Amino acid sequence: MPIQAVEPRRLYRQIADQLRQLIDAGEFVVGDRLPTERELADQLGISRPTVREALIALEVEGRIRIRVGSGIYVTDRPRAEVLTAEMDEGPFELLRAREFIEGAIAAEAALHVRPIDIEHMDDVLRRMEDIPHPTKTTIALDREFHTMVAGILGNAVLVRCIGELFDQRMNPYFERLSSYFENRDSWRAAAEEHRAVRDAIAAREPERAKAAMQEHLRQSQLRFSRNFGEKSVAREVAE
């Protein structure tokens, strides 16, 4: 038998596999409530964001249902296997990478920004004002702002890189996470954070621009890390 390369699996996928195996083995049957996120994190010795990524993956597969304010329940196995794109990186890992990369880009943008760039950022920020979220329009505006900051450097590779990183949120895992934690209030907060990035770049202050962009992406992680059932949760999943 030829030796095959072994690909390391992301931790959240290992956790999802373990929970799926427990369900398949009958440790948890249909209708059972799983331990809470916090309990699972404590039992497994891992962070809550990693547990959340695993739970979202299982919900996308149709193996569990997250009922906001009630708990996490085992559901009937789907009649047909749900086909989902393999995604090595979880949403939180993606946001952490963006925090590092886009912070550096924002700092450099503050050194190269032109009046026309500021006008373009202002135009996007105006279009972001007071609209429902999440929608295809708000996601497109969010993407436009982040790629626009990269575009200030005049480097097409960086623009493509930031666009591709952003587009990784267009998958079932990120969309399900977004459905719980993104709403008009979260959009308003993100718009204010975008404004802080714009102001720092326009002021040509690299360190301030870097800090503003990193803070924005850190806040994005925090918004996705809230407990299910907190008031800021966007909606309750129908039973």
Side-chain angles (χ1 to χ4, degrees), residues 42 51 142 210 230 235:
D42 290 342
V51 171
D142 196 4
K210 178 180 180 180
E230 287 190 13
R235 63 175 179 81

Side-chain angles (χ1 to χ4, degrees), residues 2 8 17 45 49 72 82 113 142 157 192 201 204 222:
D17 289 345
I72 305 155
V82 178
V113 67
D142 196 4
V157 175
E192 291 174 358
I201 292 174
R204 304 180 190 279
L222 289 174

Side-chain angles (χ1 to χ4, degrees), residues 31 65 89 96 114 129 147 153 171 186 189 196 227:
R65 174 65 59 86
E89 300 83 12
R96 286 192 292 271
R114 303 166 300 168
E129 292 176 357
T147 55
L153 303 184
N171 63 67
S186 70
N227 288 327

Side-chain angles (χ1 to χ4, degrees), residues 120-145:
H120 288 163
M121 285 190 290
D122 287 342
D123 176 62
V124 176
L125 291 172
R126 276 193 297 271
R127 286 184 280 137
M128 284 181 172
E129 292 176 357
D130 198 30
I131 54 178
H133 180 70
T135 65
K136 290 182 178 180
T137 298
T138 56
I139 298 302
L141 287 170
D142 196 4
R143 185 187 193 280
E144 184 177 353
F145 181 83

Side-chain angles (χ1 to χ4, degrees), residues 10-202:
R10 289 296 189 271
L11 182 56
Y12 86 92
R13 290 174 61 184
Q14 295 179 45
I15 301 305
D17 289 345
Q18 184 177 155
L19 292 173
R20 190 186 306 106
Q21 288 166 8
L22 288 171
I23 293 170
D24 290 342
E27 293 293 330
F28 298 103
V29 299
V30 173
D32 279 355
R33 185 166 63 180
L34 295 181
T36 66
E37 280 187 328
R38 187 179 299 279
E39 290 169 342
L40 286 171
D42 290 342
Q43 292 172 23
L44 295 165
I46 58 175
S47 69
R48 280 180 53 210
T50 300
V51 171
R52 174 155 300 178
E53 289 173 335
L55 293 174
I56 291 296
L58 289 175
E59 189 176 33
V60 168
E61 292 177 14
R63 304 305 303 272
I64 64 170
R65 174 65 59 86
I66 299 169
R67 296 176 182 169
V68 176
S70 176
I72 305 155
Y73 295 86
V74 177
T75 58
D76 284 319
R77 181 192 290 269
R79 294 180 181 177
E81 289 297 321
V82 178
L83 298 178
T84 57
E86 282 292 308
M87 178 180 169
D88 284 333
E89 300 83 12
F92 291 97
E93 188 173 7
L94 174 62
L95 287 169
R96 286 192 292 271
R98 287 183 57 198
E99 177 187 336
F100 177 78
I101 296 168
E102 295 193 48
I105 288 175
E108 194 68 16
L111 299 175
H112 295 85
V113 67
R114 303 166 300 168
I116 189 65
D117 298 320
I118 298 172
E119 290 179 13
H120 288 163
M121 285 190 290
D122 287 342
D123 176 62
V124 176
L125 291 172
R126 276 193 297 271
R127 286 184 280 137
M128 284 181 172
E129 292 176 357
D130 198 30
I131 54 178
H133 180 70
T135 65
K136 290 182 178 180
T137 298
T138 56
I139 298 302
L141 287 170
D142 196 4
R143 185 187 193 280
E144 184 177 353
F145 181 83
H146 285 271
T147 55
M148 184 177 295
V149 171
I152 292 173
L153 303 184
N155 187 312
V157 175
L158 284 176
V159 174
R160 185 172 70 249
C161 175
I162 296 306
E164 290 174 354
L165 282 173
F166 189 96
D167 290 344
Q168 287 189 46
R169 68 167 290 160
M170 310 300 185
N171 63 67
Y173 304 106
F174 226 124
E175 288 176 0
R176 186 60 60 91
L177 197 61
S178 173
S179 73
Y180 289 121
F181 299 101
E182 291 193 310
N183 52 37
R184 187 181 292 273
D185 290 339
S186 70
W187 178 248
R188 188 178 296 112
E192 291 174 358
E193 293 156 15
H194 287 145
R195 170 66 62 180
V197 173
R198 175 266 180 212
D199 290 347
I201 292 174

